Amino acid sequence: MTKLNDTHDPTRQSLVTAANQPDCDFPIQNLPFGVFDSAGRNPRGGVAIGDQIFDLSAGLEAGLFSGAALDAARAASCPVLNGLMARGVDSASALRARLSDLLRADGPERFRVEGLADRLLVPIASARIYLPVDARNFTDFVCSTFHALRITRRPPDAELPPVLQFMPVAYHGRASSVQVSGERVRRPHGQSKPADQPVQFGPSKMFDFELEVGAFIASGNELGSPIPIESAASQIFGYCLLNDWSARDVQFWESMLGPFLGKSLATTISPWVVTAEALRPFHTKVFKPRPDWPEPLPYLRSERDQREGGVDIDLEAYILTQRMRDSRLQPTRITNTNLRFAYWTFAQMVAHHTSNGCNLQPGDILGGGTISGPSDDSRACLAEYAEPLNLSNGEVRRYLEDGDEVIFKGRANREGYVSIGFGECRAHILPAHG
């Protein structure tokens, strides 16, 4: 697990003024990686700072990097970040350290950087943002007992299947339908079996979101070589917000063998990869749902991971309906939860995923599951609601309707450190074809 260093210094300010605002997602303590284009140039890697993108290709042309940072910058300037991830977290750390020094308000190279600002910095508002990785594999886990209880309509003190107590259960999702925030999602067709009705095929009537955090794999492992829990955290390159779209009527009917067409329609992720290093100050003790739950089996247990493998990230979900847009109203917040309610860590997910020798590859995405908490306002999908959801403008939702836009936000906060965010993960729902 990465250590605290100068890039986490809460007194450090950026020469990019917007990065110093208290509500900024991308202060100098963050420096997340992404892929963008602007002014007709090809997609390339960049780093978000305030309301700007530091163009790594321009930084290379200006000769701003050397040594380990130079090698990392070359990998990070590509149209996808898989190459950077393959180099491992130490390589990205060297690049973050150099970028932090370059972008410091009191840095020795401030005037040099400001003189190159028109080449180095691109406004986020004028850039097109792309999927940051070539996603070859996507696995989604179940890590919230609150979600599992509510979605099965069990009382809070009910027993859950024993398997959920012993392993991070998951399904292998469809990587080809992972898309970046801002791309629209079309309501899917599917087969379903409504109560007291025959089996039917048509547009999903129970379209839902799932508020999750995703993790990107770094260098990965060879086929047949499990990753031990003690080193699994070093395989987490960084994180994003993730919406595991779900057609519940399709999912519930087809799930004898697990999720298939009810899940493979689309997965939306936020575009900026917040590194594991940037989130180091926000780690916390692992959440234990109940005092009597068993300790993890040895291959999933590390004292250090149990002590600091959780991550304290506030998570919010909003709905913006067509009627709200027409009336120029703000979105309604419908979920306020936190990643610390996950009872399996991402290191445990890596260790379990590879325990049979399965090979993870750079840029693979692990979804941490629907991150629901104990309170009603922390329900992280609509399927958890036993009653209709009332929106701020008087509209009512049981499930999502065409024209609805779902927006996720995430922010890590801890006293003594600068808060960092993820940017938005959002998508607008289009009607089904035909």
Side-chain angles (χ1 to χ4, degrees):
M1 192 172 290
T2 55
K3 298 179 180 179
L4 295 176
N5 54 47
D6 290 343
T7 66
H8 303 108
D9 182 356
T11 67
R12 185 166 290 195
Q13 298 271 292
S14 174
L15 58 84
V16 178
T17 305
N20 303 323
Q21 300 301 313
D23 59 347
C24 177
D25 277 349
F26 309 127
I28 197 169
Q29 289 78 10
N30 193 346
L31 301 176
F33 294 98
V35 175
F36 76 103
D37 73 17
S38 64
R41 295 184 60 184
N42 292 329
R44 57 200 186 276
V47 173
I49 177 72
D51 57 358
Q52 305 288 314
I53 301 171
F54 184 97
D55 187 334
L56 289 167
S57 294
L60 287 165
E61 293 170 2
L64 296 178
F65 304 107
S66 63
L70 173 60
D71 293 337
R74 286 170 174 162
S77 66
C78 295
V80 292
L81 299 179
N82 298 62
L84 175 66
M85 294 176 182
R87 299 181 63 85
V89 295
D90 290 342
S91 180
S93 179
L95 179 53
R96 281 188 75 255
R98 175 57 177 160
L99 288 166
S100 185
D101 282 339
L102 286 171
L103 294 166
R104 283 169 52 190
D106 59 351
E109 297 176 85
R110 171 170 183 161
F111 295 114
R112 181 186 180 191
V113 173
E114 287 182 328
L116 297 168
D118 60 338
R119 294 164 53 190
L120 296 175
L121 298 176
V122 176
I124 293 177
S126 66
R128 180 180 177 184
I129 310 297
Y130 290 83
L131 194 67
V133 296
D134 176 12
R136 301 171 186 172
N137 294 288
F138 165 52
T139 305
D140 200 32
F141 289 82
V142 177
C143 295
S144 167
T145 55
F146 305 109
H147 171 66
L149 286 166
R150 290 196 192 104
I151 202 168
T152 55
R153 297 294 185 261
R154 303 185 191 194
D157 59 348
E159 288 297 320
L160 284 168
V163 67
L164 295 179
Q165 303 178 34
F166 285 94
M167 70 170 75
V169 176
Y171 74 91
H172 195 163
R174 184 70 186 176
S176 65
S177 55
V178 174
Q179 58 188 44
V180 74
S181 175
E183 294 186 8
R184 297 184 175 189
V185 172
R186 189 171 292 280
R187 181 180 299 274
H189 286 82
Q191 190 180 121
S192 62
K193 173 67 172 67
D196 302 321
Q197 295 185 39
V199 177
Q200 55 189 245
F201 181 85
S204 171
K205 298 176 182 178
M206 299 168 64
F207 198 39
D208 201 358
F209 69 88
E210 289 190 346
L211 174 54
E212 305 189 21
V213 171
F216 296 93
I217 295 298
S219 54
N221 61 304
E222 293 184 3
L223 183 64
S225 299
I227 299 173
I229 184 63
E230 291 79 10
S231 59
S234 66
Q235 287 296 331
I236 304 298
F237 180 90
Y239 299 86
C240 65
L241 303 179
L242 186 150
N243 189 341
D244 183 32
W245 297 98
S246 303
R248 299 296 189 190
D249 42 359
V250 178
Q251 176 191 356
F252 295 156
W253 173 237
E254 73 181 2
S255 285
M256 185 178 73
L257 290 178
F260 181 37
L261 297 182
K263 291 283 193 176
S264 62
L265 60 115
T267 300
T268 302
I269 66 171
S270 54
W272 297 104
V273 181
V274 178
T275 62
E277 182 177 57
L279 284 169
R280 184 65 190 87
F282 309 100
H283 279 255
T284 186
K285 184 178 179 180
V286 176
F287 176 75
K288 191 168 185 176
R290 297 176 184 177
D292 60 340
W293 273 44
E295 294 295 324
L297 295 178
Y299 81 103
L300 291 175
R301 182 170 178 83
S302 155
E303 292 301 326
R304 183 175 183 181
D305 188 54
Q306 290 294 298
R307 187 174 62 250
E308 53 189 70
V311 193
D312 191 351
I313 302 173
D314 291 321
L315 301 167
E316 298 176 316
Y318 295 78
I319 287 183
L320 180 65
T321 70
Q322 185 61 54
R323 190 187 302 176
M324 290 176 184
R325 281 191 295 273
D326 293 342
S327 301
R328 301 183 183 275
L329 297 176
Q330 294 299 307
T332 295
R333 188 179 75 177
I334 59 173
T335 304
N336 182 21
T337 186
N338 193 291
L339 182 58
R340 68 175 181 271
F341 294 127
Y343 68 97
W344 294 110
T345 70
F346 279 99
Q348 289 173 314
M349 296 178 218
V350 169
H352 182 66
H353 204 321
T354 63
S355 62
N356 68 344
C358 174
N359 55 322
L360 300 180
Q361 299 176 317
D364 282 0
I365 302 172
L366 305 184
T370 308
I371 306 299
S372 301
S375 61
D376 282 349
D377 69 343
S378 62
R379 290 175 285 191
C381 68
L382 294 177
E384 292 185 32
Y385 283 76
E387 73 286 348
L389 172 64
N390 296 307
L391 303 181
S392 58
N393 66 339
E395 290 185 87
V396 177
R397 289 289 185 274
R398 186 63 192 87
Y399 284 99
L400 297 171
E401 297 185 6
D402 297 343
D404 288 350
E405 189 169 15
V406 178
I407 306 159
F408 292 171
K409 298 181 182 181
R411 197 164 184 85
N413 299 285
R414 177 155 295 178
E415 186 175 357
Y417 294 95
V418 174
S419 172
I420 66 174
F422 288 74
E424 292 184 339
C425 175
R426 66 192 301 158
H428 182 112
I429 300 169
L430 295 174
H433 279 299

